[in-house]
Amino acid sequence: MDQLEAFDKQLNDFVDYLFGPRDARVRGWFMLDSCLPTLLLTLVYLVIVYFGTLYMKNRPAYSLKGVLIAYNFAVTMLSLYMLIELILATWQGEYNLQCQNLNSAGGADIRVAKVLWWYYFSKLIEFLDTIFFVLRKKNSQISFLHVYHHASMFNIWWCVMNWIPCGQSFFGPTLNSFIHVLMYSYYGLSTIPSMHKYLWWKKYLTQAQLIQFLLTITHTLSAAVVPCGFPLGCLLFQSSYMLTLVILFVNFYVKTYKKKTFRDDGKCSRDLKDGRNGLVNGYSAVFNGTISTKKSQ
């Protein structure tokens, strides 16, 4: 135990050396004082994905229909809460849309930080997206984009919460929470057979997600062009990270909607078998519903 505590201290001292003093307003918040829990949970996630896939290889897939309905509903409600609370908190603090620093809004900054903690924690909850894929043997959905996004976002948001837990950090989660309300409600509805005929709008969700990335990059760079005291290094890192997601997402989008538009006979295909609906969960190829339609004859 002493050795673990010593390692934990050395690891966090090194992180503090890299990034500087942390924001004192979030000290003591659950899972934030040490980076070790976040790193270990990410490692557990990766191990489950790798060995879980091997374990399920020669075993029947689980249905999980009831679990998926409950899960999608819960994440939809959490996303709706974060969306509403971020809008109200930033309105209370009279946040500047172009650029907002970390210390000028008083109590509203703390309110924003509390919501963003839930956003950070939601990235842990969303590990279940991949675990459900593993249990349902939807291995085609466990792409590099999917795993890269899930593993990286959880760790990036640990850093965000420790150093930039409010201010300019509000914008991306606000957009993403709105997208997640639409997306997880779609996933939930897709588990109900009678609702399948109403789910024609999946492609527009995918386009909305790409717009989300571009808006976030634009918003981030606007604070670099006309600064307000928000750390420049954080802005540049976020823009670079988002650019990697745009590149991976565009590649995914082209493969999903361009190359698969026409099949052998040249007719449009509406095949959504095995849940390949082209949606991106946050920034990752993911589907946890159960839609399946017949191929065009």
Side-chain angles (χ1 to χ4, degrees):
M1 182 62 69
D2 291 339
Q3 291 180 338
L4 180 60
E5 291 179 354
F7 173 73
D8 180 53
K9 184 179 185 305
Q10 291 177 350
L11 182 61
N12 283 279
D13 287 346
F14 176 71
V15 173
D16 291 343
Y17 171 77
L18 289 178
F19 299 118
R22 305 187 192 187
D23 194 309
R25 292 172 294 182
V26 299
R27 296 311 298 265
W29 290 19
F30 183 59
M31 289 181 62
L32 294 188
D33 284 353
S34 172
C35 63
L36 195 56
T38 299
L39 290 174
L40 289 178
L41 286 168
T42 304
L43 179 61
V44 170
Y45 164 74
L46 295 174
V47 169
I48 289 176
V49 172
Y50 181 76
F51 288 102
T53 302
L54 295 178
Y55 176 80
M56 291 297 298
K57 185 176 181 179
N58 297 315
R59 290 173 171 79
Y62 293 91
S63 172
L64 303 180
K65 183 176 180 180
V67 173
L68 291 174
I69 292 175
Y71 171 73
N72 289 318
F73 176 78
V75 178
T76 299
M77 291 299 100
L78 176 59
S79 299
L80 182 61
Y81 159 74
M82 292 189 293
L83 172 63
I84 294 173
E85 185 65 8
L86 280 170
I87 292 173
L88 294 177
T90 52
W91 183 271
Q92 172 193 339
E94 298 181 350
Y95 267 38
N96 187 319
L97 183 61
Q98 182 270 322
C99 183
Q100 177 67 33
N101 61 36
L102 294 167
N103 299 293
S104 64
D109 283 336
I110 301 298
R111 187 176 178 182
V112 169
K114 289 180 178 179
V115 186
L116 293 186
W117 181 89
W118 277 107
Y119 187 75
Y120 152 73
F121 193 73
S122 73
K123 300 309 164 191
L124 173 62
I125 296 173
E126 289 169 15
F127 281 175
L128 290 173
D129 291 343
T130 322
I131 294 173
F132 291 150
F133 281 156
V134 171
L135 294 175
R136 297 174 64 233
K137 300 183 71 170
K138 305 297 184 182
N139 296 342
S140 62
Q141 302 299 312
I142 309 174
S143 64
F144 173 78
L145 169 58
H146 176 89
V147 176
Y148 168 71
H149 163 63
H150 278 68
S152 60
M153 283 290 285
F154 185 42
N155 289 271
I156 287 172
W157 272 91
W158 179 86
C159 294
V160 170
M161 287 307 303
N162 271 283
W163 282 275
I164 49 172
C166 53
Q168 192 77 353
S169 301
F170 85 95
F171 188 78
T174 303
L175 286 182
N176 194 231
S177 295
F178 172 70
I179 294 296
H180 275 195
V181 169
L182 301 178
M183 191 164 51
Y184 279 100
S185 61
Y186 176 96
Y187 295 157
L189 292 173
S190 72
T191 63
I192 304 173
S194 61
M195 296 300 298
H196 290 181
K197 60 183 177 181
Y198 301 110
L199 301 179
W200 51 266
W201 34 280
K202 68 180 180 65
K203 184 174 181 178
Y204 299 103
L205 274 179
T206 308
Q207 294 171 349
Q209 289 167 316
L210 181 56
I211 293 172
Q212 170 197 191
F213 306 151
L214 298 176
L215 286 176
T216 302
I217 292 175
T218 301
H219 178 258
T220 302
L221 292 178
S222 71
V225 174
V226 183
C228 61
F230 196 87
L232 179 62
C234 297
L235 297 173
L236 297 178
F237 173 81
Q238 182 179 8
S239 299
S240 301
Y241 175 73
M242 292 295 296
L243 183 60
T244 67
L245 296 175
V246 169
I247 293 171
L248 290 170
F249 179 83
V250 168
N251 177 65
F252 162 78
Y253 184 85
V254 169
K255 288 182 178 179
T256 302
Y257 289 114
K258 300 302 180 183
K259 294 183 179 180
K260 296 182 181 180
T261 300
F262 294 96
R263 297 295 171 120
D264 294 338
D265 59 358
K267 294 182 180 179
C268 293
S269 172
R270 298 179 61 247
D271 184 15
L272 301 179
K273 190 175 182 181
D274 292 333
R276 297 177 188 177
N277 65 358
L279 290 184
V280 172
N281 181 13
Y283 310 113
S284 56
V286 51
F287 178 77
N288 57 19
T290 55
I291 288 183
S292 178
T293 61
K294 294 181 179 181
K295 296 181 180 180
S296 300
Q297 299 299 320

